[in-house]
Amino acid sequence: MPLSRLAALHGVATSYSPSPGRTVAATDTAVVAALAALGVDASTPEAVRAALAAREAETRDRLLPPTVVCWGGRPPDALSALPAGTRLRITTEQGETRAAAEQLPPGVHALRATAPDGRTADAHLVVAPDRLPTPPGRTYGLLVQLYSLLSRRSWGMGDLGDLAELSAWAGRALGAGFVQVNPLHAAVPGTPTDPSPYRPSSRRFPDPVHLRIEDIPEYAYVDDRDHVRTLLERAERLRASVLDKDALIDRDAVWELKREALELIREVPLGPGRRAAYVDFLAEEGEALEDHVTWCALAEVHGPEWQKWPVGLRDPRSPETARARSELMDRVDFHSRLAWLTDAQLAAAQRSARDAGMPVGLVHDLAVGVHPGGADAWAQQEYYAAGMSVGAPPDAFNARGQDWGLPPWRPDRLAASGYAPYRRLLRALFRYTGALRIDHVMGLFRLWWIPQGQPPTEGTYVRYDAEAMLAVLTLEASRAGALVIGEDLGTVEPGVRETLQERGVLGTSVLWFERDWDGDGQPLPPERWRADCLATATTHDLPPTASRLTGDHVELRGRLGLLTGGLAEERAAAASEMGEWLALFARLGLLRGSGSAVSEEAEIQAVHRFLLRTPARMVGVWLPDAVGDRRPQNLPGTWDQYPNWRLPVAGADGRPVTLEELAASPRLYALVDVLRALPGDGVGGGPQR
């Protein structure tokens, strides 16, 4: 059919397979809407025929695609399809002219082809190493949601000072090789602010709510010390409410307090060296920073949804926006200063980790997308598909599918730009990380696009140039000497994991999901696990291990009406599943205890002994597991029924545990003693207490 052929030429799927052997057709409505978001009119049969003819002619006459990939400096395969006698000229990033037959340096270069018949084509040439950097031996590390880890110095939620302290302690005292945190992207302001770190305003810039105020050099020179003392007293009350009075983490209250402090600090003149560093930061970040802070300043006046701003301000390049930026220059400078300070504290936290002997250091998390009303969506409108949202199709676990409320990037615009916004994003994140976790890494290959106003069932997959996306990722990670971890849980189309492994992207393996799905469905023995992965017992979206062992997670979901079956049925199924794992641990001699009873703490230790038996290159410990926390940080399927993203790390009794208490926890050190037995090269056997 013409519509199917047209869709295929633009990477829009007309069907998908939710499970092996089962194919579901996408609706014509979804396909037409996806094509429209790509600038292709398929609204009538006549429009389809015209668009198909135009696309086929374009494909037939085109010398080169807009972006060409070259692995390992070797001439790309795309060049072999050019007409005989075609002349090629390559201008490198450094401005040098090279021949196509030469070994090319890594980078994104300009390629011009001139055919014998006079046709010309310009393309971006991405030259990337064959593989990403590999982990420096086997290592283990801690996984934590930063906001949830409060010290006796933080202002009501964990901050970058706490992260630096945690990293220094974990590296020096525990012999850990990394600390992985949640996305620290800038949030959309407002009251209440969406607490989810996975729906940010900007992925390009971090959120200043994570700043440790006292670590800013100018803090010591604030003149109004009475005001400072008042702020510290308020901060102490806010911290105590969470740690001692069972209050939830209140991000908005924390930000209100920190913003007031930052306004005071900004009145302190920068010294000559600090001023020079700030100016360098402004010059280096350029238009991207100017756009971000302009959005922040405009949001203070007009609200956080740019689609509701005066019409002229909805365009970041309009004369009205330029005038508004000039009028709001004081606020633009304020937000620029915050971006600089946050960037500096992130870099300091990574230095703290590496100085403590961590071979990896900090592992930052890249969310799959951004809020449609936020800074990135405003500043990069040409790269986002208007009227579309990213999600997931219906599957065995969610019959209605999922809508994440995130606008997708347009693959055609990315390719035409040489993946410029993607490159800038990665380069910024790699500046202060030893490894990057990519949420829903399958999005490098395809994403489920849902027309706005439609249910997730009315979506379809749109494909991206995975080779180009991976080449850019490999290039930028290699330049930074950083690892990449892909979150590849859930439904993954055939060949994706193999392609990622070929390029050195580590996968994510969660213990409870690792079963012999092609055989008897029993727990997968450790020797059959993949090596190129980060192996963990749980994640931020899953129950803590203590909750899974006790069955508390079933009771919680039952109280909230989230069970698909009856409570007794779900309880029995969970107990049976857990019994299979515990039986395997026992057969392997991993359960240690006296008499017939094995404590919950001993079972958690057995879980991690099992993880160490696998060949996984990285083993991650969910930090709340080390103290017996039973509460999930996020419970998918809930909004206000559960305090998602607002809980502090707590012990088995539900009492919050501070960073200082963690550092003295006998239970934590007992688990660390298990992890020190990590076989093979890498971290393990580090300094004792």
Side-chain angles (χ1 to χ4, degrees):
M1 292 177 60
L3 180 61
S4 297
R5 296 209 315 271
L6 178 64
L9 288 172
H10 288 277
V12 177
T14 54
S15 65
Y16 70 99
S17 298
S19 58
R22 180 167 173 250
T23 300
V24 177
T27 65
D28 285 354
T29 301
V31 173
V32 169
L35 286 168
L38 293 169
V40 180
D41 182 7
S43 58
T44 64
E46 294 76 16
V48 169
R49 286 192 292 271
L52 180 60
R55 185 64 170 181
E56 289 176 338
E58 176 192 351
T59 303
R60 182 179 61 250
D61 297 337
R62 185 179 63 191
L63 285 176
L64 290 171
T67 294
V68 176
V69 171
C70 171
W71 294 103
R74 299 179 298 276
D77 294 338
L79 302 186
S80 62
L82 292 170
T86 298
R87 300 193 309 276
L88 300 173
R89 188 182 70 193
I90 297 170
T91 305
T92 68
E93 286 183 343
Q94 296 75 28
E96 302 172 342
T97 301
R98 298 285 189 93
E102 295 182 53
Q103 185 77 13
L104 298 170
V108 180
H109 313 308
L111 170 64
R112 163 156 284 204
T114 304
D117 60 7
R119 286 180 298 154
T120 62
D122 291 305
H124 303 276
L125 178 62
V126 181
V127 180
D130 285 317
R131 283 180 58 84
L132 286 155
T134 57
R138 295 195 73 196
T139 186
Y140 89 90
L142 306 176
L143 283 57
V144 65
Q145 301 284 287
L146 179 57
Y147 60 83
S148 72
L149 182 66
L150 281 73
S151 71
R152 288 293 175 183
R153 294 181 178 177
S154 46
W155 290 21
M157 63 183 281
D159 60 34
L160 293 173
D162 296 322
L163 180 58
E165 288 282 358
L166 173 68
S167 302
W169 165 68
R172 296 179 189 277
L174 307 183
F178 63 91
V179 172
Q180 178 180 304
V181 296
N182 54 287
L184 303 183
H185 309 317
V188 177
T191 303
T193 300
D194 185 347
S196 172
Y198 290 93
R199 202 163 180 246
S201 170
S202 173
R203 297 187 295 174
R204 174 70 177 74
F205 293 96
D207 199 314
V209 75
H210 300 111
L211 282 168
R212 168 66 64 85
I213 297 297
E214 297 91 332
D215 287 352
I216 299 171
E218 289 72 35
Y219 167 82
Y221 302 101
V222 173
D223 287 335
D224 192 347
R225 302 315 296 180
D226 289 338
H227 197 165
V228 169
R229 278 190 292 274
T230 300
L231 289 172
L232 291 174
E233 290 168 358
R234 290 165 57 195
E236 184 176 0
R237 290 195 295 270
L238 192 56
R239 178 174 60 245
S241 70
V242 175
L243 295 177
D244 305 325
K245 300 179 181 178
D246 204 30
L248 297 175
I249 292 169
D250 187 342
R251 183 199 178 282
D252 292 334
V254 172
W255 175 235
E256 181 182 351
L257 192 59
K258 289 190 176 183
R259 182 174 58 188
E260 191 173 335
L262 290 163
E263 298 280 8
L264 283 178
I265 291 170
R266 187 192 171 217
E267 297 303 315
V268 178
L270 296 174
R274 294 273 291 164
R275 168 62 62 179
Y278 178 45
V279 170
D280 282 352
F281 177 79
L282 296 177
E284 181 181 349
E285 298 304 313
E287 185 178 77
L289 176 62
E290 184 177 83
D291 286 343
H292 175 69
V293 298
T294 298
W295 181 91
C296 292
L298 289 170
E300 290 180 338
V301 178
H302 301 288
E305 295 182 66
W306 61 267
Q307 296 93 337
K308 297 180 180 179
W309 293 353
V311 173
L313 299 180
R314 298 175 195 173
D315 178 0
R317 308 286 169 250
S318 72
E320 292 89 343
T321 298
R323 282 196 298 272
R325 181 187 298 116
S326 178
E327 294 166 358
L328 295 170
M329 189 53 64
D330 180 70
R331 302 310 297 164
V332 167
D333 180 70
F334 174 70
H335 291 288
S336 298
R337 185 84 63 94
L338 300 192
W340 173 57
L341 294 173
T342 312
D343 184 87
Q345 288 197 7
L346 279 163
Q350 172 65 357
R351 284 196 303 273
S352 177
R354 298 305 293 267
D355 289 348
M358 287 187 172
V360 177
L362 300 183
V363 181
H364 284 284
D365 200 347
L366 175 61
V368 71
V370 296
H371 193 287
D376 283 2
W378 174 73
Q380 302 173 16
Q381 292 174 50
E382 69 269 30
Y383 294 110
Y384 285 100
M388 287 288 162
S389 177
V390 171
D395 57 27
F397 301 100
N398 193 326
R400 295 186 297 272
Q402 301 175 58
D403 186 344
W404 303 331
L406 310 170
W409 263 338
R410 284 183 55 163
D412 57 332
R413 296 278 176 83
L414 284 178
S417 72
Y419 295 84
Y422 178 50
R423 282 188 280 134
R424 289 193 292 263
L425 169 61
L426 292 174
R427 195 169 300 166
L429 294 172
F430 281 129
R431 190 164 56 218
Y432 42 72
T433 187
L436 185 64
R437 175 191 180 270
I438 299 181
D439 190 43
H440 192 70
V441 72
M442 297 82 78
L444 299 180
F445 294 76
R446 65 178 185 176
L447 284 171
W448 185 256
W449 286 22
I450 305 164
Q452 284 182 0
Q454 298 296 316
T457 52
E458 289 297 313
T460 190
Y461 277 112
V462 175
R463 190 160 295 282
Y464 293 76
D465 185 342
E467 184 180 40
M469 298 285 277
L470 278 172
V472 171
L473 176 62
T474 304
L475 171 65
E476 296 301 339
S478 298
R479 283 172 160 170
L483 309 177
V484 176
I485 302 163
E487 186 271 296
D488 56 353
L489 303 174
T491 303
V492 184
E493 64 177 319
V496 166
R497 287 196 175 104
E498 293 77 8
T499 300
L500 293 171
Q501 182 181 33
E502 178 187 357
R503 296 302 173 193
V505 178
L506 301 177
T508 300
S509 293
V510 177
L511 184 136
W512 315 110
F513 300 156
E514 293 295 320
R515 288 177 171 266
D516 185 7
W517 299 114
D518 295 326
D520 57 11
Q522 289 295 303
L524 197 66
E527 65 273 9
R528 291 180 57 190
W529 283 42
R530 54 182 171 172
D532 294 325
C533 74
L534 165 64
T536 69
T538 190
T539 74
H540 57 268
D541 282 334
L542 296 172
T545 304
S547 176
R548 194 176 287 273
L549 287 166
T550 59
D552 282 0
H553 66 296
V554 177
E555 307 296 330
L556 173 62
R557 293 178 65 82
R559 289 195 300 272
L560 297 176
L562 299 175
L563 298 179
T564 56
L567 178 59
E569 176 189 353
E570 295 274 358
R571 190 187 291 133
S576 174
E577 177 184 330
M578 187 53 55
E580 292 172 347
W581 280 105
L582 291 174
L584 176 58
F585 299 159
R587 289 197 301 272
L588 295 174
L590 303 178
L591 282 169
R592 314 282 167 81
S594 57
S596 59
V598 178
S599 69
E600 171 203 303
E601 182 180 351
E603 290 174 340
I604 292 176
Q605 292 176 7
V607 166
H608 290 87
R609 286 192 185 95
F610 181 91
L611 293 176
L612 297 185
R613 287 279 188 97
T614 74
R617 296 184 182 276
M618 300 176 72
V619 174
V621 180
W622 180 239
L623 188 58
D625 277 354
V627 289
D629 198 345
R630 283 175 164 73
R631 305 176 303 178
Q633 283 294 314
N634 178 50
L635 192 58
T638 63
W639 177 244
D640 56 1
Q641 309 99 309
Y642 185 80
N644 295 318
W645 317 112
R646 289 174 286 170
L647 292 171
V649 174
D653 58 359
R655 186 183 66 82
V657 178
T658 66
L659 174 57
E660 293 85 355
E661 290 169 327
L662 275 168
S665 167
R667 179 166 178 162
L668 181 145
Y669 277 101
L671 181 58
V672 167
D673 286 341
V674 170
L675 297 164
R676 290 185 190 280
L678 184 70
D681 296 333
V683 177
Q688 300 293 321
R689 280 179 287 168

